Each structure stands twice: as C-alpha cells, then as structure tokens.
Amino acid sequence: MGAGPGGAAAALHLANAGQVCLLLDRAAFPRDKTCGDALSGKVINELKRIEPGLHAKLAASPIQIPSWGIDFIAPNGRKLAIPFKPQFDKATDHTAGHVAKRIDFDNFLVEEVRQRPEIDFRENVDVARTERTPTGWQLFDKAGQEIATCRLLLVANGAQSDFARKVAGHALEPDHHCAGLRTYYEGVSGLSPDNFIELHFIKDFLPGYLWVFPLPNGQANVGVGMLSKAVADKKVNLRQRLDEILATHPTLAPRFAGATRLGSVKGFGLPLGSKRRPLSGAGYFLLGDAGSLIDPFSGEGISHAMVSGRHAAIWAAEAVKKADFSPEFLRNYDKAVYNRLGQELRLSRVMQRLLNFPSLFNIVANRAVNNPTLAETLSMMFMDLDLRERLRKPSFYFKLFFGGK
C-alpha cells in the first residue's frame, strides 16, 4: 500500500524472490513528493541490492546530478566540507551520492516495477478503509467497494498514514516529528562545483536548519525543517522565516538576490526515528515514513524506506513460507530493521539535540575540521559504510570527542 521508494523496493525484492504481490498507490506516476531530493550512498547500495545494474542506470540518467559531499555550515558561519569519499576523483570514482527530484526518482523505481510480471501494480487506487479478517486484511475504497484482500499488508503510504496512526497506534508526538517546507529555485549563485549539498545551521533558527541542494538544469531544492515541538513552543512561522533568511542572511542573501523561485512553497511533516516504535502487528508491516523511520538529524528518509522495504520483503516471504502471520513471528521484521538502522538513529538523535546548544555545535564543527574521526562519522551518516561496528567500540567515542585518527 504505497508505491514510493519503500513500497516499490519491497515489491521489487518480492518479485526477485518469485513472490507475487499487489502494489497499490492513490496517485498516478509520475507524481510529486515534497522532500529534500537528496539520494545518499545508502540509496545507491539499496538500488544495487535490487538489481546490480540499477545504480548505473540512475547515474546515466538526466534526472539526477552526482553529489560528492556535504557542506555543514555551523551557527558561527564555519563551513565544514565533508566529501562522501576522501580525495575523490570525479573522473574515475563511482558516484557516492545523487540529487534528483522525487517526481523523477520515484517514477524511476516505478518504471522498474512496471516491467515485473510478478507485481500487479495499480495506480489511482485510494484505500479509504482497512478491515481485519480472520486470514488477513480487506481493503475498501471510499464507496465501500472491496479493492482487495491479502494475508499480509505492507503499509508504505507515507508520513500521513491513517493505518499507522489508527491501527498501529503511531501518535504524532511533536518531540519526534519535524515540520518542513520545500521550494525550488533557479539561478542560485555559489553552488558547489562538486554538487555538495548544503546544511545551514543558523543561530537564530535553531533547533532547525535550512538546506540548499543543487539539482539538474541549474535548479536547487531549498527548504527548512524544525522539530514540531520547537515550532509550537517558539511560535515560529516557517514560511515567513524562510523568506526572511533568504532575504537578510549575510551569506545567503547575496546568493539568492538574482535567483527565481519556481512554483509554490510546499509544507510536509516528517515522523522521526528518534523514538523506537513497533513496525509490525497482526498481518502487517510498516515501511519508511509510515513506520516513523526518518533520520532525526539529517531528515533523510528515502534510504531508510528502501532498507525497510528490503527487510519487509525478506520477512514477508518467510511468513508466506511458514504460513505464519502472527504478531510474534512478524516481529522479526522489527528486529531486522532496527538492527540495521537503530544505532544510527540514536546517534542522529544525539546530533539533533546538539542543535539546542549553538555554542556546543560550534565546538563540534570547529573540532571536526581537525578531527578525522568526527568528520568521517558525519560523512558516514549519509553513506552506507557500516557505522554499527564503530558505534559498539568505546574507543570510537574517545576519538570522537577528544580527537585522534
């Protein structure tokens, strides 16, 4: 239920395993999705896991530009440039990241879905109601007509998922939810020649941040995000603040002086993975944004959706093989997802809390310039290099906070 990156990845992995599935989406593709549009190294590796040549196909497509790193701009204005790959060579190295509009990237995955006979893909199908049956789930449209029945329901219908809220009990908690705005510009000056994505941590806008991500055809994705609790507590008008920052910030204002905004400013909500929540229940899995799996520091959700889609496909196939759709058995999916993402989400939560302390954040940014361990850690959060082994070692934390290699 939902053909975004999580649902599409799950369907493609099921097809690879010879499993027949039904994939539903309320929209017709290509369709827009409000997002930052950055595709990290984790996304690349998930594409390769679906099909070895899939990343090369994306890399050759005009819908994307390669991105070679991240610029973190601290509240004191200090820029920390973190390449995804140290001493990268654009001529010979494989791309470590991309930026592509979601209308294009999601359609790229859906085009793969369309080619698979194992996947019954139906667009413009709005599931208005779900009902538990003795053997699974029944899905209905707004008129009350049955759409389908299934033994196992993979819920990948995004951040506003009714199912996640009403059936799985994922309440919207302002301390674990981010409010965001996104718009597109052309003609922004000073973009990185290596297409580094920019995260600006502005002193009087913390604990939020502003991003500028370069896109194909000289465009840029520009937006702001802030914890919903902070928006409410500080009575922040995000649209107004976005305009003010771009018009008055000493570094950003000159860069946007000659730029043109394309279309409207769109808002969206991000259920963050800063709190561990159940991802399964009787006959269902929650994937991606519907499972509140968004990185609480970077706001990244695409790769986490695809990771959850892969594990959902693995445990869906196991459930079918064993004919066991009980909550106890399906909890193996939760364990698999959190084994892969849990420690990274916890580290991101710590980084997110740093945003409440601008002076401390400045210290971290200043130190990272001369601390390879910290610089690498920031980079690895956006890559698929395995942070988990490092995070288990006490020596890592000593190096992280006190320097060293």
Side-chain angles (χ1 to χ4, degrees):
M1 192 160 68
L12 289 165
H13 282 294
L14 284 166
N16 288 343
Q19 296 285 345
V20 174
C21 67
L22 171 64
L23 179 62
L24 306 174
D25 201 282
R26 67 193 297 183
F29 285 76
R31 60 95 179 98
D32 193 21
K33 170 82 195 302
T34 310
C35 175
D37 296 338
L39 307 175
S40 71
K42 289 187 228 176
V43 172
I44 290 174
N45 275 357
E46 289 306 317
L47 289 173
K48 290 175 180 175
R49 286 182 170 104
I50 292 169
E51 182 191 312
L54 197 52
H55 171 238
K57 193 172 178 179
L58 175 69
S61 168
I63 69 169
Q64 60 73 45
I65 56 170
S67 176
W68 295 91
I70 309 167
D71 284 333
F72 291 93
I73 295 86
N76 61 3
R78 184 75 176 262
K79 182 168 89 170
L80 176 62
I82 307 273
F84 290 137
K85 198 177 285 186
Q87 287 91 46
F88 64 90
D89 182 341
K90 289 196 288 187
T92 58
D93 285 338
H94 293 296
T95 312
H98 301 270
V99 193
K101 289 183 177 179
R102 285 292 298 275
I103 190 171
D104 297 321
F105 177 69
D106 289 14
N107 193 58
F108 171 81
L109 289 178
V110 161
E111 287 302 314
E112 295 299 314
V113 162
R114 294 186 199 279
Q115 295 172 37
R116 302 304 299 264
E118 304 91 340
I119 305 170
D120 180 0
F121 176 46
R122 302 182 200 172
E123 300 166 273
N124 287 318
V125 177
D126 191 359
V127 178
R129 184 166 62 89
T130 57
E131 199 169 289
R132 185 84 175 109
T133 70
T135 55
W137 290 91
Q138 210 170 1
L139 312 181
F140 299 92
D141 63 17
K142 284 178 182 171
Q145 296 296 307
E146 182 185 288
I147 297 167
T149 59
C150 60
R151 286 179 291 174
L152 183 60
L153 183 60
L154 276 59
V155 181
N157 57 354
Q160 314 305 322
S161 173
D162 263 3
F163 190 100
R165 199 167 56 255
K166 294 175 181 174
V167 179
H170 282 215
L172 193 160
E173 298 179 52
D175 197 35
H176 302 283
H177 186 272
C178 182
L181 297 177
R182 177 220 74 187
T183 188
Y184 290 119
Y185 275 86
E186 65 179 2
V188 178
S189 65
L191 294 173
S192 160
D194 301 317
N195 298 326
F196 276 40
I197 63 174
E198 304 173 29
L199 298 178
H200 295 261
F201 300 93
I202 297 161
K203 187 175 180 182
D204 62 356
F205 190 64
L206 296 176
Y209 63 86
L210 180 144
W211 68 80
V212 181
F213 294 173
L215 280 165
N217 306 313
Q219 295 184 12
N221 180 314
V222 181
V224 288
M226 182 180 280
L227 206 60
S228 297
K229 185 176 189 301
V231 171
D233 290 349
K234 298 184 177 192
K235 298 181 172 57
V236 179
N237 182 322
L238 285 180
R239 286 174 191 268
Q240 190 178 316
R241 290 295 288 123
L242 174 62
D243 288 341
E244 283 173 3
I245 291 167
L246 297 182
T248 64
H249 189 274
T251 306
L252 290 167
R255 296 178 56 195
F256 280 82
T260 305
R261 183 177 286 176
L262 307 172
S264 61
V265 178
K266 295 189 176 180
F268 59 115
L270 303 171
L272 304 176
S274 46
K275 176 180 177 179
R276 184 166 174 150
R277 300 171 186 263
L279 301 176
S280 61
Y284 72 82
F285 292 149
L286 301 180
L287 282 62
D289 292 7
S292 303
L293 288 173
I294 293 169
D295 187 289
F297 178 66
S298 68
E300 182 185 5
I302 300 170
S303 69
H304 292 186
M306 295 178 74
V307 165
S308 66
R310 174 163 53 89
H311 288 295
I314 291 167
W315 285 102
E318 283 296 307
V320 169
K321 191 164 84 177
K322 292 183 164 44
D324 189 346
F325 304 96
S326 66
E328 294 75 24
F329 182 76
L330 297 183
R331 224 168 276 136
N332 285 301
Y333 163 70
D334 300 48
K335 291 175 191 168
V337 171
Y338 283 120
N339 182 54
R340 174 64 188 86
L341 298 175
Q343 284 185 302
E344 290 175 41
L345 290 172
R346 281 194 291 275
L347 178 63
S348 288
R349 175 67 163 166
V350 172
M351 297 293 291
Q352 179 202 52
R353 284 172 172 158
L354 268 184
L355 301 184
N356 290 309
F357 308 98
S359 56
L360 191 56
F361 195 88
N362 289 334
I363 290 168
V364 171
N366 291 342
R367 182 169 286 172
V369 174
N370 300 309
N371 183 334
T373 302
L374 182 52
E376 279 177 30
T377 302
L378 290 169
S379 173
M380 288 164 74
M381 287 167 69
F382 293 82
M383 292 296 292
D384 202 31
L385 302 169
D386 202 338
L387 261 178
R388 287 169 295 170
E389 284 307 311
R390 284 191 167 200
L391 292 171
R392 290 190 181 110
K393 295 175 183 173
S395 61
F396 166 77
Y397 294 94
F398 182 83
K399 290 175 183 175
L400 188 65
F401 293 110
F402 300 106
K405 297 185 179 181

